[in-house]
Amino acid sequence: MLARKSIIPEEYVLARIAAENLRKPRIRDRLPRARFIAKSGACNLAHKNIREQGRFLQDIFTTLVDLKWRHTLVIFTMSFLCSWLLFAIMWWLVAFAHGDIYAYMEKSGMEKSGLESTVCVTNVRSFTSAFLFSIEVQVTIGFGGRMMTEECPLAITVLILQNIVGLIINAVMLGCIFMKTAQAHRRAETLIFSRHAVIAVRNGKLCFMFRVGDLRKSMIISASVRIQVVKKTTTPEGEVVPIHQLDIPVDNPIESNNIFLVAPLIICHVIDKRSPLYDISATDLANQDLEVIVILEGVVETTGITTQARTSYIAEEIQWGHRFVSIVTEEEGVYSVDYSKFGNTVKVAAPRCSARELDEKPSILIQTLQKSELSHQNSLRKRNSMRRNNSMRRSNSIRRNNSSLIVPKVQFMTPEGNQNTSES
C-alpha cells in the first residue's frame, strides 16, 4: 500500500473513483404496475380481514365448488369415512344394547346358528363387523353374510336414517365433482386474446383494437364483447376512487352487439368524444395509469353453460401506430387460420396526437399519410437502386469470369514465311 501511494497520488485515485461513479447510472428496479385482471383472466385481488366467515358456510355448495381440487378430494373422502364410522358406532351400540355381542361370545359354534332369529343384525360380533355392515348398508353392496332381522325396531330406524344420509352425501359430493369438472372457465381456456392491443387509424378515425379467437371447432353462441377502462381518479371534492370503471362502446355493425366467432376477429373501439382515451396522445400513453379490461361472454354450444373469458391491457401493452397482420387465407376452397401469427403486428402510419387534436385539426392525418407515402416511396427507390447495383455487380463479375475463360490465339511462323494461327 505504501508503494502504491508513492506511485499514484491519492488525489488522482479519488477523482477517478468519483468519475466512475458518475459514469455508472444508478438504475432502480421499477416495480411492476399492479393490474386488476391478469392476462390469464384471473382477478388480482386479495380479500383480507373478513370477520364474518360464517357466510361461506351458508352457501356450502358454492364453497365446495370454489375450493381447490386437493381440498375437495379430501372432503369427499372424509365425508364417506366419517359417515361409515358414525353409523358403525350406532350399529355397534344397537348390538351391544340388545345383547347380541355377549350372545355371540358365550355361545359355541353349533349354538350360534340358533341366534340368527333373536339378534338385531346377524354376525355383528365386534366393532369391525359393525363397520363392515355400515359400509354394506350405505353402498348397497350386500355380501349376504350380515343382514337385518325383525327383532329390533331401533335397528330398522337406523337403517332408514343411514340410507337417507348416504343419498344426501352422494348427491352433494357427486354434484360438486360434476360442477368442478364442468366449470365455465374451463371452456374459456381455449378463448385467446392477443398479447398486445394496438391504436391505429381505421376509416379516418383513431381506433383501439385487439384480436380474439377460439381454438375449438365448437362455437360460442351469442358471443358478446364488453370493454371497460379502470383507472384511479380523484373527484373535485378530493375523494380518491381507486377503481373507477368506465364502459367504452365497441364498433359493431350488428345491432344486437353479438359477434360470430367462427374465426379470429379484430375488435375495434373508435376513440371518439365518448371514449376515455379521447384526450390521450402517444406520448401521454406511457404515463397513464389505466387498464383496459376486455370481457368475452357467450354460451357453450355443446353444454349450454354460459362462459366468460377475460384479459386486460395496461399502457405498456398498447402499441401506438401498429396494425394486426392478416392470418385468414383461402386455400383450395377452405379458409385457413395461421395461429402462429395471431399476435403479430406491423408498423403503420398513424398520427401521434390525441383523437381530440385529430378532430380539431384533420390536416394532421393528411400530413401523416403524405409523410408515410413519401417515406414509402423513398424506401422503394432505395430498394430499386440496391437491386440495380447488385445486378450490375453480378453482371460485371460474370463478365470477368467469362473474359478469364477466353482462349488466347497463338501464331506459329513456318520456314516459308506463312503465318498459321491456332487456338489452344
Side-chain angles (χ1 to χ4, degrees):
M1 294 296 295
L2 295 175
R4 287 186 179 180
K5 286 184 178 181
S6 61
I7 296 173
I8 302 176
E10 186 176 358
E11 295 80 2
Y12 178 75
V13 174
L14 295 176
R16 186 175 180 180
I17 293 173
E20 289 179 354
N21 291 332
L22 290 175
R23 290 174 187 173
K24 295 180 181 180
R26 295 181 179 180
I27 301 175
R28 295 181 180 178
D29 295 335
R30 185 179 179 181
L31 296 176
R33 182 174 296 179
R35 59 199 310 162
F36 296 103
I37 302 295
K39 298 299 290 183
S40 60
C43 296
N44 187 21
L45 189 65
H47 299 276
K48 296 182 178 180
N49 301 325
I50 300 177
R51 298 179 180 178
E52 299 180 359
Q53 298 287 345
R55 292 181 178 269
F56 295 99
L57 298 178
Q58 295 177 3
D59 188 9
I60 186 63
F61 186 77
T62 306
T63 303
L64 291 175
V65 174
D66 291 340
L67 290 176
K68 295 182 180 180
W69 268 107
R70 55 178 178 267
H71 299 153
T72 303
L73 293 177
V74 169
I75 294 174
F76 179 83
T77 305
M78 293 302 298
S79 61
F80 285 102
L81 287 177
C82 291
S83 64
W84 294 339
L85 287 172
L86 175 63
F87 284 98
I89 294 173
M90 296 177 68
W91 287 117
W92 185 83
L93 290 176
V94 168
F96 179 79
H98 194 261
D100 298 343
I101 297 176
Y102 291 106
Y104 278 106
M105 291 174 62
E106 292 175 356
K107 299 294 182 180
S108 60
M110 296 298 294
E111 296 176 349
K112 289 181 180 179
S113 60
L115 295 175
E116 295 180 357
S117 60
T118 60
V119 296
C120 294
V121 181
T122 59
N123 295 325
V124 175
R125 303 181 182 89
S126 61
F127 181 77
T128 304
S129 58
F131 181 74
L132 293 175
F133 181 71
S134 175
I135 296 175
E136 293 177 12
V137 169
Q138 188 165 336
V139 189
T140 64
I141 296 175
F143 291 114
R146 301 171 185 87
M147 67 182 73
M148 290 281 300
T149 63
E150 301 175 357
E151 293 295 324
C152 300
L154 180 61
I156 298 174
T157 305
V158 174
L159 176 66
I160 295 172
L161 181 62
Q162 185 173 5
N163 285 330
I164 294 173
V165 173
L167 289 175
I168 293 174
I169 293 175
N170 288 335
V172 173
M173 298 311 301
L174 293 179
C176 177
I177 297 296
F178 173 76
M179 290 302 297
K180 285 187 70 68
T181 55
Q183 279 185 333
H185 66 83
R186 303 295 179 186
R187 179 62 176 87
E189 296 294 334
T190 53
L191 297 174
I192 57 176
F193 299 88
S194 57
R195 184 70 180 176
H196 296 85
V198 298
I199 294 179
V201 177
R202 176 182 280 191
N203 298 326
K205 297 287 186 179
L206 277 177
C207 297
F208 173 86
M209 294 174 286
F210 60 93
R211 178 173 277 166
V212 60
D214 188 5
L215 298 179
R216 290 187 181 272
K217 291 185 178 181
S218 59
M219 295 181 56
I220 299 295
I221 304 172
S222 301
S224 61
V225 177
R226 293 188 293 113
I227 307 176
Q228 289 184 346
V229 172
V230 178
K231 60 180 180 180
K232 183 178 180 181
T233 58
T234 305
T235 61
E237 294 79 14
E239 180 185 2
V240 178
V241 182
I243 306 176
H244 184 57
Q245 301 181 10
L246 297 172
D247 288 332
I248 58 178
V250 179
D251 185 18
N252 194 353
I254 304 175
E255 295 180 357
S256 61
N257 202 23
N258 293 334
I259 59 175
F260 186 52
L261 197 59
V262 67
L265 299 177
I266 297 176
I267 307 301
C268 177
H269 159 65
V270 179
I271 304 177
D272 52 9
K273 295 180 180 179
R274 301 174 298 171
S275 175
L277 308 176
Y278 189 61
D279 296 324
I280 298 177
S281 63
T283 55
D284 298 336
L285 182 61
N287 300 323
Q288 291 292 323
D289 188 10
L290 59 86
E291 181 178 355
V292 182
I293 298 176
V294 179
I295 303 172
L296 173 63
E297 294 179 336
V299 179
V300 182
E301 183 181 18
T302 54
T303 61
I305 301 176
T306 302
T307 185
Q308 185 182 94
R310 300 179 297 266
T311 190
S312 67
Y313 301 97
I314 57 177
E316 288 81 359
E317 297 171 349
I318 301 175
Q319 297 179 347
W320 194 290
H322 285 73
R323 183 181 298 165
F324 289 103
V325 299
S326 178
I327 61 175
V328 180
T329 57
E330 185 177 356
E331 298 177 358
E332 298 179 357
V334 178
Y335 287 99
S336 177
V337 180
D338 186 6
Y339 280 99
S340 63
K341 302 178 182 179
F342 183 81
N344 293 358
T345 60
V346 292
K347 196 171 183 179
V348 295
R352 308 290 293 178
C353 63
S354 63
R356 179 185 291 275
E357 296 177 0
L358 188 62
D359 291 342
E360 294 175 354
K361 298 179 181 179
S363 59
I364 297 176
L365 179 59
I366 300 174
Q367 295 175 0
T368 304
L369 295 177
Q370 289 178 354
K371 289 180 181 179
S372 65
E373 185 66 23
L374 290 174
S375 62
H376 181 65
Q377 291 179 359
N378 292 331
S379 63
L380 289 177
R381 290 174 184 174
K382 290 181 180 179
R383 290 178 184 177
N384 293 331
S385 62
M386 291 177 65
R387 290 177 181 174
R388 291 174 185 175
N389 293 332
N390 292 332
S391 61
M392 292 177 63
R393 291 174 182 175
R394 290 177 183 175
S395 60
N396 292 332
S397 62
I398 291 171
R399 290 177 182 175
R400 291 174 182 174
N401 294 332
N402 293 334
S403 62
S404 63
L405 294 174
I406 295 175
V407 180
K409 296 183 179 180
V410 182
Q411 294 181 355
F412 295 95
M413 299 296 294
T414 59
E416 290 81 5
N418 296 327
Q419 294 181 355
N420 294 328
T421 305
S422 63
E423 295 181 358
S424 58

